[in-house]
Amino acid sequence: MMKRILAGVAALIVVLLIGAGIFLWDPLPANPSATELSAAAANYDAEVIRDEFGVPHVHGARDADAAFGLAYAHAEDDYETIQETVAAGRGMLAHYRGQDAAPVDYLVALLGVWDTVALRYETDVPEDVKAMAEAYAAGLNLYAAENPKATWRGLAPFTAEDVVAGFIFKTPFFYGLDDTFMGLFGNDYTQTIALDPAEGRKAFLIGPKTMAERGSNGIAVSGRRAGDDVTRLMINSHQPLTGPVAWYEAQLTSDEGLDITGGLFPGTPVILHGFTPDLGWANTVSAQDLVDTYVLTVNPDNPHQYKLDGEWVDFTEATVTLHVKLFGPFALTVKRPVKRSAQGPVIEAKHGTYAVRYAGMGEIRQLEQYYRLNKAEDMDGFMSAMSLNALPSINYIYADKDANVAFIHNGQYPNRDNAWDWSGDMPGDRSDLIWQGYRPWDAVPKLVNPVSGLVFNSNNTPYSATDGPDNLKPDDFPQSMGLQTNQTNRSLRMIELTDGKSPINEPDLLAIKFDTTYSSQSEAADLIAKVVAIDWSQEPEMAEAAKRLAAWDLNMNADSRYAALGGLTVLREITAKYTRIPAPKPETAFREAVEWLTVHHGRIDPEWGEVNRLVRGNVSLPISGGPDTLRAVYPAGMRDDGTLHMTAGDTWIALVEWDRQGRQTARVISPYGSAILDAASPHYADQAPLFVAREWRKAHLTHEDVVANATRTYHPGKD
């Protein structure tokens, strides 16, 4: 009898397992054949020349040929991240990465990324811009055809729409839109979308925030101010060293006039910041108030309605289907509602129902604006491209061969009612508070050719952009624009290191760029003063440590024997504004710094370079700098091995110069190398020694120079 019961139970379990397997069976489709994937490549011909550092110099008869070659070359170096970027933009990353990616897929639907593509791609993306996106997709598809085992199942073919969707999805994150959504989702500001992956983390997954800041420096000095008639541009974005928003260096040229060197992200067919023979620009992240959260009143008798102007109005509702990978071909299919109100996407949280309205909603022209910037030939052309006003944020520091310099606090500034304070949550029941469109390009804050000949930005207020008398003033702009008012340590040091009149030549500019000191007005200095002021007399060891801390000159040089104690004491306070993780009290931070150094180094005064390291594979090098110094070095955290590993900060850096005759020279450097994923490549970490020594590579700008330094030349799909 018992055997029959057990047999029946076993049979039932088998039936249930089969049923569950059928229910969860959700395999991704096979990719097309290599013949089908590579077919479009026949329409393009690009020459790729790799120089002595493996950097690709891509040339084509047409701009589109160059975009095709760029895609192929970048895929050779970082195909995995490109695929991850495409999967995230499609809203299908969870099918590959599992549940931690599901919120990202939901955001793609909530932001209406593909609704925007469906509505506007055919009508609002110019044909020449479509040609660039199509060519880039063809380059990826050729690489996929040649590397089927490396291509994620079901991801190919790549499309032009994927390229455009990537811009739509990612650009609002640069002013913190992801923070807004993640906060509303869970009221947990220690979680974020990992656009800045630390060691061991995958991009685009939800996880704890790191100490990596999305910051930057940009400096331009006119020939008049330089004292030697040389106009200089310092491009110095601070990004993660790896991942979907890490810089990849390339040069693009064509017979149609494209000629630009610079940095780009995985999935982008043009340079995002860099320089042409005639001009260049540096980008820095800005933090204007470009997002508004509206508190909605939901109908207690009908959860499908909200109150607007005294009436109950229906939400616009849809359902998104998320495919969440379990294992192998099995995935959990999850359906989630997507709601929108008149204001924008709706978040239903335990603490309320909210709508979000943000800069970049429904925008599809991001690639167009970047392409126009790549083709600009002078300041008028550059400003014309900027006037498209398709990019929701990001500062621009500009310089050119005619000795012009400029600062643009760029943004799609919501056309808000200036009578209201927009810094907090807004009432969601009034249609008159739903702003429409943006302020015109003419209203965007700009400072062109200031009298001192210097412009800069270090993620600080636009009211401090030059060292002369003609800075922008708060009274010149409506408060509803939400312009920044902050200073960073880097901007404070810029002010301290310049005086409005003394020449800033090459050595002066380099000394500014690689400055490793905290300002006496900085939060670091303030925190150290608080620690030193504590009465440590009852603890002799701590009193001795405090005495040493008081002697610190606030410098983060690698050979300093004070910087480790001071830097670790202030580290979490400085980065708290980025991580949203509350910093310990100054006394606690100091105690923990003393303990950590004692445990791991046996002393509280090791050289900073023993602690602060640039690590890449088997390469481990001491590096000067720290968080929010002009020589920006951000670690992921305090490691159990007694070191800090740089994961963000100074990345691709360029120093571009034009002499009085407009002749150009340029030097560049990256912290790692052009081979992003191949640890066996000679270019995996070949630039690291130069980078930590504050040395440069010569940028090869002419075809003759590129050929003279070539290590490999090929035509993707042709040979």
Side-chain angles (χ1 to χ4, degrees):
M1 181 69 176
M2 181 58 68
K3 289 184 177 179
R4 287 199 300 270
I5 293 174
L6 291 175
V9 170
L12 178 60
I13 291 173
V14 170
V15 170
L16 290 174
L17 288 174
I18 292 173
I22 293 172
F23 177 73
L24 297 174
W25 179 260
D26 190 14
L28 288 156
N31 291 321
S33 67
T35 300
E36 184 177 348
L37 284 173
S38 62
N43 300 321
Y44 304 97
D45 185 10
E47 180 182 61
V48 179
I49 301 177
R50 298 277 186 168
D51 66 22
E52 73 272 33
F53 284 92
V55 174
H57 301 258
V58 187
H59 179 80
R62 302 166 299 173
D63 294 350
D65 293 314
F68 166 79
L70 171 64
Y72 188 92
H74 199 172
E76 289 181 299
D77 290 327
D78 200 6
Y79 189 42
E80 186 77 0
T81 308
I82 292 173
Q83 291 185 94
E84 191 160 38
T85 298
V86 171
R90 284 186 187 172
M92 61 180 294
L93 188 59
H95 215 148
Y96 299 99
R97 297 299 195 201
Q99 65 179 0
D100 286 344
V104 179
D105 291 354
Y106 183 76
L107 266 183
V108 172
L110 189 65
L111 298 181
V113 171
W114 287 91
D115 294 335
T116 299
V117 172
L119 181 66
R120 299 190 60 189
Y121 181 81
E122 289 301 329
T123 57
D124 294 352
V125 178
E127 291 304 315
D128 61 339
V129 179
K130 288 177 183 172
M132 295 291 284
E134 290 165 358
Y136 187 87
L140 294 183
N141 286 325
L142 174 62
Y143 190 84
E146 295 176 354
N147 298 271
K149 292 183 178 180
T151 303
W152 296 5
R153 184 180 176 92
L155 196 61
F158 303 97
T159 69
E161 289 84 352
D162 285 325
V163 176
V164 172
F167 281 97
I168 297 171
F169 180 53
K170 280 196 296 188
T171 49
F173 289 171
F174 281 93
Y175 64 79
L177 181 63
D178 53 332
D179 283 349
T180 298
F181 277 112
M182 295 314 299
L184 292 174
F185 276 135
N187 199 27
D188 181 359
Y189 283 94
T190 67
Q191 301 291 307
T192 188
I193 297 172
L195 284 179
D196 51 357
E199 294 169 279
R201 292 175 63 197
K202 293 293 186 181
F204 291 111
L205 302 191
I206 302 301
K209 280 203 164 189
T210 70
M211 293 185 183
E213 181 211 8
R214 290 175 240 170
S216 301
N217 301 316
I219 309 170
V221 183
S222 71
R224 181 182 70 255
R225 176 67 185 275
D228 57 6
D229 285 330
V230 177
T231 297
R232 294 183 174 89
L233 172 68
M234 181 69 71
I235 303 174
N236 181 208
S237 172
H238 301 161
Q239 292 294 114
L241 273 59
T242 59
V245 288
W247 294 115
Y248 178 77
E249 181 187 344
Q251 183 190 38
L252 305 180
T253 60
S254 80
D255 296 341
E256 293 181 336
L258 184 66
D259 188 350
I260 187 166
T261 298
L264 57 116
F265 296 149
T268 58
V270 292
I271 298 298
L272 302 184
H273 76 167
F275 53 93
T276 74
D278 303 316
L279 56 85
W281 68 91
N283 288 135
T284 68
V285 172
S286 53
Q288 310 96 317
D289 180 9
L290 301 175
V291 185
D292 291 309
T293 301
Y294 296 81
V295 181
L296 301 181
T297 301
V298 178
N299 187 343
D301 299 319
N302 184 353
H304 301 285
Q305 294 183 326
Y306 65 102
K307 183 174 287 187
L308 189 65
D309 295 336
E311 298 181 358
W312 295 115
V313 179
D314 291 337
F315 287 108
T316 299
E317 299 189 50
T319 300
V320 58
T321 301
L322 306 177
H323 300 270
V324 183
K325 180 178 179 178
L326 297 175
F327 56 90
F330 297 99
L332 181 65
T333 301
V334 181
K335 295 185 182 296
R336 289 288 182 266
V338 174
K339 291 185 177 181
R340 291 188 176 85
S341 68
Q343 292 90 345
V346 172
I347 302 294
E348 295 177 299
K350 294 180 180 179
H351 41 77
T353 301
Y354 307 89
V356 179
R357 196 164 187 81
Y358 60 93
M361 283 181 63
E363 182 60 75
I364 201 171
R365 301 170 299 148
Q366 298 94 336
L367 175 55
E368 179 185 0
Q369 182 163 340
Y370 279 120
Y371 182 34
R372 303 295 180 236
L373 289 171
N374 277 224
K375 295 297 291 283
E377 297 179 351
D378 54 26
M379 190 174 192
D380 287 343
F382 181 85
M383 290 298 184
S384 176
M386 289 298 301
S387 71
L388 286 172
N389 204 30
L391 303 176
S393 64
I394 303 294
N395 296 303
Y396 282 77
I397 298 292
Y398 170 91
D400 65 28
K401 68 177 184 180
D402 297 319
N404 294 304
V405 297
F407 163 70
I408 305 170
H409 195 50
N410 182 63
Q412 290 181 319
Y413 291 96
N415 191 19
R416 299 169 173 139
D417 183 347
N418 199 50
W420 284 76
D421 178 2
W422 294 81
S423 60
D425 291 346
M426 303 299 294
D429 59 353
R430 297 180 48 157
S431 63
D432 62 326
L433 294 180
I434 304 174
W435 49 263
Q436 304 296 328
Y438 306 108
R439 295 183 181 276
W441 162 247
D442 290 346
V444 171
K446 310 175 194 68
L447 183 61
V448 179
N449 289 326
V451 295
S452 80
L454 167 72
V455 291
F456 69 88
N457 186 263
S458 293
N459 315 110
N460 58 295
T461 175
Y463 308 130
S464 181
T466 185
D467 60 346
D470 45 356
N471 266 304
L472 304 174
K473 297 177 174 56
D475 292 344
D476 295 334
F477 303 95
Q479 60 83 23
S480 60
M481 288 181 73
L483 301 183
Q484 293 174 245
T485 59
N486 69 300
Q487 295 284 13
T488 61
N489 175 70
R490 289 166 288 120
S491 63
L492 291 171
R493 288 296 291 160
M494 282 292 306
I495 294 168
E496 292 170 357
L497 294 170
T498 60
D499 61 11
K501 56 182 182 297
S502 297
I504 302 176
N505 56 28
E506 180 196 67
D508 301 320
L509 182 56
L510 292 176
I512 291 172
K513 161 55 222 128
F514 291 113
D515 179 73
T516 58
T517 300
Y518 288 113
S519 166
S520 60
Q521 305 301 311
S522 67
E523 60 183 337
D526 181 63
L527 190 146
I528 294 301
K530 290 177 180 177
V531 172
V532 171
I534 295 173
D535 182 4
W536 299 100
S537 60
Q538 302 304 309
E539 302 177 72
E541 290 185 3
M542 293 303 298
E544 191 63 27
K547 182 179 178 181
R548 186 159 191 86
L549 185 67
W552 182 35
D553 62 0
L554 301 179
N555 196 305
M556 301 295 288
N557 271 335
D559 60 0
S560 170
R561 288 197 176 272
Y562 297 85
L565 182 61
L568 292 174
T569 299
V570 304
L571 175 64
R572 286 170 288 177
E573 183 72 30
I574 292 173
T575 58
K577 66 175 69 67
Y578 315 122
T579 65
R580 309 287 186 187
I581 300 172
K585 293 180 179 180
E587 177 182 348
T588 302
F590 178 54
R591 288 184 183 278
E592 292 177 352
V594 170
E595 179 183 7
W596 189 85
L597 288 170
T598 301
V599 167
H600 295 294
H601 293 272
R603 58 192 299 172
I604 63 171
D605 62 344
E607 289 191 356
W608 178 229
E610 294 179 34
V611 176
N612 203 42
R613 313 290 292 185
L614 178 67
V615 179
R616 178 72 158 167
N618 295 324
V619 175
S620 178
L621 301 167
I623 186 168
S624 296
D628 203 24
T629 61
L630 283 161
R631 173 51 149 176
V633 176
Y634 290 85
M638 297 165 64
R639 295 167 53 90
D640 292 338
D641 64 359
T643 63
L644 306 177
H645 288 188
M646 179 182 179
T647 58
D650 280 358
T651 47
W652 181 75
I653 312 174
L655 175 59
V656 191
E657 300 175 311
W658 292 274
D659 67 15
R660 189 188 314 178
Q661 288 74 38
R663 292 173 299 201
Q664 181 187 56
T665 57
R667 287 168 285 174
V668 293
I669 193 64
S670 294
Y672 288 161
S674 63
I676 308 301
L677 299 178
D678 184 4
S681 169
H683 304 303
Y684 187 65
D686 57 341
Q687 298 184 51
L690 296 173
F691 185 83
V692 299
R694 308 176 192 181
E695 296 178 357
W696 303 86
R697 301 168 18 236
K698 175 188 174 184
H700 304 307
L701 304 179
T702 66
H703 182 69
E704 293 75 18
D705 195 21
V706 170
V707 170
N709 290 277
T711 58
R712 180 187 174 204
T713 301
Y714 55 103
H715 291 250
K718 308 296 183 185
D719 53 28

